[in-house]
PDB file of all heavy atoms in Angstrom:
ATOM      1  N   TYR R 144      42.099-209.352 -43.739  1.00 94.00           N
ATOM      2  CA  TYR R 144      43.511-209.835 -43.665  1.00 94.00           C
ATOM      3  C   TYR R 144      43.779-210.513 -42.298  1.00 94.00           C
ATOM      4  O   TYR R 144      44.560-211.558 -42.365  1.00 94.00           O
ATOM      5  CB  TYR R 144      44.435-208.486 -43.652  1.00 94.00           C
ATOM      6  CG  TYR R 144      44.432-207.801 -45.028  1.00 94.00           C
ATOM      7  CD1 TYR R 144      45.075-206.617 -45.003  1.00 94.00           C
ATOM      8  CD2 TYR R 144      43.920-208.339 -46.063  1.00 94.00           C
ATOM      9  CE1 TYR R 144      45.134-205.895 -46.302  1.00 94.00           C
ATOM     10  CE2 TYR R 144      44.034-207.735 -47.381  1.00 94.00           C
ATOM     11  CZ  TYR R 144      44.700-206.402 -47.447  1.00 94.00           C
ATOM     12  OH  TYR R 144      44.699-205.841 -48.548  1.00 94.00           O
ATOM     13  N   LEU R 147      42.493-213.976 -42.965  1.00 95.00           N
ATOM     14  CA  LEU R 147      43.509-214.617 -43.956  1.00 95.00           C
ATOM     15  C   LEU R 147      44.761-215.104 -43.264  1.00 95.00           C
ATOM     16  O   LEU R 147      45.296-216.244 -43.561  1.00 95.00           O
ATOM     17  CB  LEU R 147      43.946-213.657 -45.100  1.00 95.00           C
ATOM     18  CG  LEU R 147      44.928-214.229 -46.122  1.00 95.00           C
ATOM     19  CD1 LEU R 147      44.355-215.417 -46.917  1.00 95.00           C
ATOM     20  CD2 LEU R 147      45.280-213.024 -47.062  1.00 95.00           C
ATOM     21  N   PHE R 148      45.217-214.294 -42.304  1.00 94.00           N
ATOM     22  CA  PHE R 148      46.322-214.662 -41.569  1.00 94.00           C
ATOM     23  C   PHE R 148      46.073-215.877 -40.783  1.00 94.00           C
ATOM     24  O   PHE R 148      46.916-216.780 -40.701  1.00 94.00           O
ATOM     25  CB  PHE R 148      46.695-213.524 -40.620  1.00 94.00           C
ATOM     26  CG  PHE R 148      48.206-213.291 -40.319  1.00 94.00           C
ATOM     27  CD1 PHE R 148      48.757-212.268 -39.706  1.00 94.00           C
ATOM     28  CD2 PHE R 148      49.063-214.414 -40.445  1.00 94.00           C
ATOM     29  CE1 PHE R 148      50.113-212.205 -39.366  1.00 94.00           C
ATOM     30  CE2 PHE R 148      50.406-214.341 -40.160  1.00 94.00           C
ATOM     31  CZ  PHE R 148      50.990-213.184 -39.575  1.00 94.00           C
ATOM     32  N   SER R 151      45.759-218.979 -42.929  1.00 95.00           N
ATOM     33  CA  SER R 151      47.107-219.389 -43.410  1.00 95.00           C
ATOM     34  C   SER R 151      47.821-220.192 -42.364  1.00 95.00           C
ATOM     35  O   SER R 151      48.492-221.215 -42.673  1.00 95.00           O
ATOM     36  CB  SER R 151      47.930-218.143 -43.801  1.00 95.00           C
ATOM     37  OG  SER R 151      47.369-217.397 -44.831  1.00 95.00           O
ATOM     38  N   VAL R 166      52.799-224.549 -48.228  1.00 93.00           N
ATOM     39  CA  VAL R 166      51.723-223.632 -48.811  1.00 93.00           C
ATOM     40  C   VAL R 166      51.175-222.668 -47.721  1.00 93.00           C
ATOM     41  O   VAL R 166      51.207-221.512 -47.877  1.00 93.00           O
ATOM     42  CB  VAL R 166      50.546-224.452 -49.342  1.00 93.00           C
ATOM     43  CG1 VAL R 166      49.434-223.531 -49.685  1.00 93.00           C
ATOM     44  CG2 VAL R 166      50.969-225.289 -50.539  1.00 93.00           C
ATOM     45  N   GLY R 167      51.076-223.250 -46.472  1.00 94.00           N
ATOM     46  CA  GLY R 167      50.624-222.344 -45.298  1.00 94.00           C
ATOM     47  C   GLY R 167      51.777-221.438 -44.954  1.00 94.00           C
ATOM     48  O   GLY R 167      51.514-220.287 -44.651  1.00 94.00           O
ATOM     49  N   TRP R 168      52.925-221.902 -45.121  1.00 94.00           N
ATOM     50  CA  TRP R 168      54.209-221.180 -44.757  1.00 94.00           C
ATOM     51  C   TRP R 168      54.210-219.941 -45.699  1.00 94.00           C
ATOM     52  O   TRP R 168      54.474-218.806 -45.141  1.00 94.00           O
ATOM     53  CB  TRP R 168      55.427-222.077 -45.072  1.00 94.00           C
ATOM     54  CG  TRP R 168      56.699-221.637 -44.545  1.00 94.00           C
ATOM     55  CD1 TRP R 168      57.630-220.826 -45.336  1.00 94.00           C
ATOM     56  CD2 TRP R 168      57.418-221.870 -43.349  1.00 94.00           C
ATOM     57  NE1 TRP R 168      58.744-220.548 -44.653  1.00 94.00           N
ATOM     58  CE2 TRP R 168      58.677-221.256 -43.398  1.00 94.00           C
ATOM     59  CE3 TRP R 168      57.040-222.498 -42.211  1.00 94.00           C
ATOM     60  CZ2 TRP R 168      59.583-221.336 -42.398  1.00 94.00           C
ATOM     61  CZ3 TRP R 168      58.008-222.691 -41.209  1.00 94.00           C
ATOM     62  CH2 TRP R 168      59.223-222.023 -41.331  1.00 94.00           C
ATOM     63  N   GLU R 169      54.076-220.025 -46.968  1.00 94.00           N
ATOM     64  CA  GLU R 169      54.078-218.905 -47.843  1.00 94.00           C
ATOM     65  C   GLU R 169      52.877-218.016 -47.701  1.00 94.00           C
ATOM     66  O   GLU R 169      53.005-216.808 -47.814  1.00 94.00           O
ATOM     67  CB  GLU R 169      54.029-219.381 -49.226  1.00 94.00           C
ATOM     68  CG  GLU R 169      55.302-220.117 -49.764  1.00 94.00           C
ATOM     69  CD  GLU R 169      56.542-219.203 -49.588  1.00 94.00           C
ATOM     70  OE1 GLU R 169      56.669-218.318 -50.402  1.00 94.00           O
ATOM     71  OE2 GLU R 169      57.454-219.394 -48.656  1.00 94.00           O
ATOM     72  N   LEU R 170      51.735-218.532 -47.348  1.00 94.00           N
ATOM     73  CA  LEU R 170      50.489-217.690 -47.146  1.00 94.00           C
ATOM     74  C   LEU R 170      50.689-216.899 -45.883  1.00 94.00           C
ATOM     75  O   LEU R 170      50.140-215.709 -45.828  1.00 94.00           O
ATOM     76  CB  LEU R 170      49.220-218.607 -46.995  1.00 94.00           C
ATOM     77  CG  LEU R 170      48.753-219.229 -48.246  1.00 94.00           C
ATOM     78  CD1 LEU R 170      47.694-220.230 -48.005  1.00 94.00           C
ATOM     79  CD2 LEU R 170      48.286-218.120 -49.340  1.00 94.00           C
ATOM     80  N   VAL R 171      51.464-217.357 -44.934  1.00 93.00           N
ATOM     81  CA  VAL R 171      51.590-216.579 -43.753  1.00 93.00           C
ATOM     82  C   VAL R 171      52.540-215.422 -44.124  1.00 93.00           C
ATOM     83  O   VAL R 171      52.314-214.296 -43.615  1.00 93.00           O
ATOM     84  CB  VAL R 171      52.352-217.515 -42.584  1.00 93.00           C
ATOM     85  CG1 VAL R 171      52.915-216.647 -41.496  1.00 93.00           C
ATOM     86  CG2 VAL R 171      51.210-218.394 -42.013  1.00 93.00           C
ATOM     87  N   GLY R 172      53.459-215.650 -44.943  1.00 91.00           N
ATOM     88  CA  GLY R 172      54.405-214.623 -45.389  1.00 91.00           C
ATOM     89  C   GLY R 172      53.579-213.559 -46.131  1.00 91.00           C
ATOM     90  O   GLY R 172      53.863-212.307 -45.864  1.00 91.00           O
ATOM     91  N   LEU R 173      52.774-213.891 -46.959  1.00 92.00           N
ATOM     92  CA  LEU R 173      51.904-212.931 -47.669  1.00 92.00           C
ATOM     93  C   LEU R 173      51.041-212.221 -46.767  1.00 92.00           C
ATOM     94  O   LEU R 173      50.887-210.984 -46.861  1.00 92.00           O
ATOM     95  CB  LEU R 173      50.990-213.684 -48.750  1.00 92.00           C
ATOM     96  CG  LEU R 173      49.908-212.896 -49.403  1.00 92.00           C
ATOM     97  CD1 LEU R 173      50.542-211.776 -50.132  1.00 92.00           C
ATOM     98  CD2 LEU R 173      49.019-213.802 -50.259  1.00 92.00           C
ATOM     99  N   SER R 174      50.455-212.858 -45.820  1.00 92.00           N
ATOM    100  CA  SER R 174      49.448-212.220 -44.847  1.00 92.00           C
ATOM    101  C   SER R 174      50.256-211.161 -44.081  1.00 92.00           C
ATOM    102  O   SER R 174      49.700-210.084 -43.833  1.00 92.00           O
ATOM    103  CB  SER R 174      48.837-213.292 -43.981  1.00 92.00           C
ATOM    104  OG  SER R 174      48.082-214.210 -44.725  1.00 92.00           O
ATOM    105  N   SER R 175      51.428-211.566 -43.615  1.00 91.00           N
ATOM    106  CA  SER R 175      52.255-210.648 -42.780  1.00 91.00           C
ATOM    107  C   SER R 175      52.631-209.389 -43.581  1.00 91.00           C
ATOM    108  O   SER R 175      52.579-208.243 -43.090  1.00 91.00           O
ATOM    109  CB  SER R 175      53.463-211.273 -42.218  1.00 91.00           C
ATOM    110  OG  SER R 175      54.385-211.534 -43.282  1.00 91.00           O
ATOM    111  N   TYR R 176      52.932-209.496 -44.861  1.00 91.00           N
ATOM    112  CA  TYR R 176      53.218-208.473 -45.717  1.00 91.00           C
ATOM    113  C   TYR R 176      52.001-207.498 -45.860  1.00 91.00           C
ATOM    114  O   TYR R 176      52.187-206.184 -45.754  1.00 91.00           O
ATOM    115  CB  TYR R 176      53.575-208.903 -47.206  1.00 91.00           C
ATOM    116  CG  TYR R 176      53.770-207.791 -48.227  1.00 91.00           C
ATOM    117  CD1 TYR R 176      54.863-207.041 -48.251  1.00 91.00           C
ATOM    118  CD2 TYR R 176      52.581-207.631 -49.131  1.00 91.00           C
ATOM    119  CE1 TYR R 176      55.017-206.092 -49.101  1.00 91.00           C
ATOM    120  CE2 TYR R 176      52.838-206.625 -50.053  1.00 91.00           C
ATOM    121  CZ  TYR R 176      54.007-205.847 -50.152  1.00 91.00           C
ATOM    122  OH  TYR R 176      54.090-204.919 -51.013  1.00 91.00           O
ATOM    123  N   LEU R 177      50.816-208.066 -45.958  1.00 92.00           N
ATOM    124  CA  LEU R 177      49.577-207.184 -46.072  1.00 92.00           C
ATOM    125  C   LEU R 177      49.318-206.406 -44.807  1.00 92.00           C
ATOM    126  O   LEU R 177      48.919-205.345 -44.849  1.00 92.00           O
ATOM    127  CB  LEU R 177      48.483-208.112 -46.556  1.00 92.00           C
ATOM    128  CG  LEU R 177      48.549-208.775 -47.901  1.00 92.00           C
ATOM    129  CD1 LEU R 177      47.335-209.648 -48.124  1.00 92.00           C
ATOM    130  CD2 LEU R 177      48.551-207.740 -49.054  1.00 92.00           C
ATOM    131  N   LEU R 178      49.562-207.119 -43.779  1.00 91.00           N
ATOM    132  CA  LEU R 178      49.140-206.556 -42.442  1.00 91.00           C
ATOM    133  C   LEU R 178      50.111-205.528 -41.890  1.00 91.00           C
ATOM    134  O   LEU R 178      49.883-204.552 -41.279  1.00 91.00           O
ATOM    135  CB  LEU R 178      48.882-207.533 -41.364  1.00 91.00           C
ATOM    136  CG  LEU R 178      47.516-208.237 -41.522  1.00 91.00           C
ATOM    137  CD1 LEU R 178      47.432-209.521 -40.659  1.00 91.00           C
ATOM    138  CD2 LEU R 178      46.315-207.228 -41.212  1.00 91.00           C
ATOM    139  N   ILE R 179      51.461-205.850 -42.054  1.00 91.00           N
ATOM    140  CA  ILE R 179      52.528-204.952 -41.638  1.00 91.00           C
ATOM    141  C   ILE R 179      52.529-203.642 -42.414  1.00 91.00           C
ATOM    142  O   ILE R 179      52.752-202.673 -41.798  1.00 91.00           O
ATOM    143  CB  ILE R 179      53.896-205.649 -41.718  1.00 91.00           C
ATOM    144  CG1 ILE R 179      54.074-206.811 -40.771  1.00 91.00           C
ATOM    145  CG2 ILE R 179      55.091-204.592 -41.419  1.00 91.00           C
ATOM    146  CD1 ILE R 179      55.215-207.639 -41.039  1.00 91.00           C
ATOM    147  N   ALA R 192      57.198-203.638 -44.427  1.00 89.00           N
ATOM    148  CA  ALA R 192      56.491-204.878 -44.945  1.00 89.00           C
ATOM    149  C   ALA R 192      57.350-205.496 -45.999  1.00 89.00           C
ATOM    150  O   ALA R 192      57.430-206.741 -46.083  1.00 89.00           O
ATOM    151  CB  ALA R 192      55.197-204.370 -45.617  1.00 89.00           C
ATOM    152  N   PHE R 196      59.070-209.292 -45.946  1.00 90.00           N
ATOM    153  CA  PHE R 196      58.845-210.219 -47.106  1.00 90.00           C
ATOM    154  C   PHE R 196      60.105-210.728 -47.627  1.00 90.00           C
ATOM    155  O   PHE R 196      60.278-211.967 -47.883  1.00 90.00           O
ATOM    156  CB  PHE R 196      58.004-209.479 -48.112  1.00 90.00           C
ATOM    157  CG  PHE R 196      57.432-210.363 -49.206  1.00 90.00           C
ATOM    158  CD1 PHE R 196      56.233-211.083 -48.928  1.00 90.00           C
ATOM    159  CD2 PHE R 196      58.080-210.597 -50.398  1.00 90.00           C
ATOM    160  CE1 PHE R 196      55.707-211.964 -49.945  1.00 90.00           C
ATOM    161  CE2 PHE R 196      57.560-211.366 -51.349  1.00 90.00           C
ATOM    162  CZ  PHE R 196      56.337-211.997 -51.187  1.00 90.00           C
ATOM    163  N   ASN R 199      62.256-213.148 -45.307  1.00 90.00           N
ATOM    164  CA  ASN R 199      61.611-214.414 -45.216  1.00 90.00           C
ATOM    165  C   ASN R 199      61.832-215.206 -46.339  1.00 90.00           C
ATOM    166  O   ASN R 199      61.838-216.499 -46.373  1.00 90.00           O
ATOM    167  CB  ASN R 199      60.109-214.304 -44.861  1.00 90.00           C
ATOM    168  CG  ASN R 199      59.891-214.157 -43.255  1.00 90.00           C
ATOM    169  OD1 ASN R 199      59.851-215.279 -42.653  1.00 90.00           O
ATOM    170  ND2 ASN R 199      59.850-212.934 -42.817  1.00 90.00           N
ATOM    171  N   ARG R 200      62.051-214.528 -47.543  1.00 90.00           N
ATOM    172  CA  ARG R 200      62.230-215.318 -48.756  1.00 90.00           C
ATOM    173  C   ARG R 200      63.611-216.067 -48.671  1.00 90.00           C
ATOM    174  O   ARG R 200      63.783-217.078 -49.353  1.00 90.00           O
ATOM    175  CB  ARG R 200      62.318-214.395 -49.934  1.00 90.00           C
ATOM    176  CG  ARG R 200      60.986-213.690 -50.315  1.00 90.00           C
ATOM    177  CD  ARG R 200      59.907-214.560 -50.788  1.00 90.00           C
ATOM    178  NE  ARG R 200      59.236-215.414 -49.791  1.00 90.00           N
ATOM    179  CZ  ARG R 200      58.570-214.917 -48.789  1.00 90.00           C
ATOM    180  NH1 ARG R 200      58.147-213.648 -48.713  1.00 90.00           N
ATOM    181  NH2 ARG R 200      57.913-215.755 -47.972  1.00 90.00           N
ATOM    182  N   ASP R 203      62.854-219.178 -46.965  1.00 93.00           N
ATOM    183  CA  ASP R 203      62.036-220.063 -47.905  1.00 93.00           C
ATOM    184  C   ASP R 203      62.997-220.904 -48.846  1.00 93.00           C
ATOM    185  O   ASP R 203      62.601-222.049 -49.204  1.00 93.00           O
ATOM    186  CB  ASP R 203      61.015-219.211 -48.642  1.00 93.00           C
ATOM    187  CG  ASP R 203      59.961-218.513 -47.634  1.00 93.00           C
ATOM    188  OD1 ASP R 203      60.062-218.945 -46.511  1.00 93.00           O
ATOM    189  OD2 ASP R 203      59.263-217.657 -48.183  1.00 93.00           O
ATOM    190  N   LYS R 251      61.464-217.388 -40.341  1.00 92.00           N
ATOM    191  CA  LYS R 251      60.088-217.180 -39.874  1.00 92.00           C
ATOM    192  C   LYS R 251      60.156-216.743 -38.291  1.00 92.00           C
ATOM    193  O   LYS R 251      59.279-215.959 -37.901  1.00 92.00           O
ATOM    194  CB  LYS R 251      59.283-218.445 -39.966  1.00 92.00           C
ATOM    195  CG  LYS R 251      58.504-218.563 -41.433  1.00 92.00           C
ATOM    196  CD  LYS R 251      57.406-217.651 -41.542  1.00 92.00           C
ATOM    197  CE  LYS R 251      56.703-217.789 -42.850  1.00 92.00           C
ATOM    198  NZ  LYS R 251      57.580-217.463 -44.036  1.00 92.00           N
ATOM    199  N   MET R 280      52.967-216.069 -36.979  1.00 86.00           N
ATOM    200  CA  MET R 280      54.056-216.193 -37.865  1.00 86.00           C
ATOM    201  C   MET R 280      55.294-216.644 -37.099  1.00 86.00           C
ATOM    202  O   MET R 280      55.962-217.620 -37.599  1.00 86.00           O
ATOM    203  CB  MET R 280      54.306-214.863 -38.469  1.00 86.00           C
ATOM    204  CG  MET R 280      55.425-214.949 -39.609  1.00 86.00           C
ATOM    205  SD  MET R 280      55.343-213.431 -40.652  1.00 86.00           S
ATOM    206  CE  MET R 280      56.664-213.705 -41.686  1.00 86.00           C
TER     207      MET R 280
END
Side-chain angles (χ1 to χ4, degrees):
Y144 289 169
L147 177 62
F148 206 166
S151 302
V166 172
W168 189 272
E169 291 300 290
L170 287 173
V171 166
L173 170 64
S174 304
S175 67
Y176 171 78
L177 295 173
L178 283 168
I179 294 170
F196 194 82
N199 275 275
R200 297 291 72 73
D203 295 348
K251 275 289 185 288
M280 188 166 178

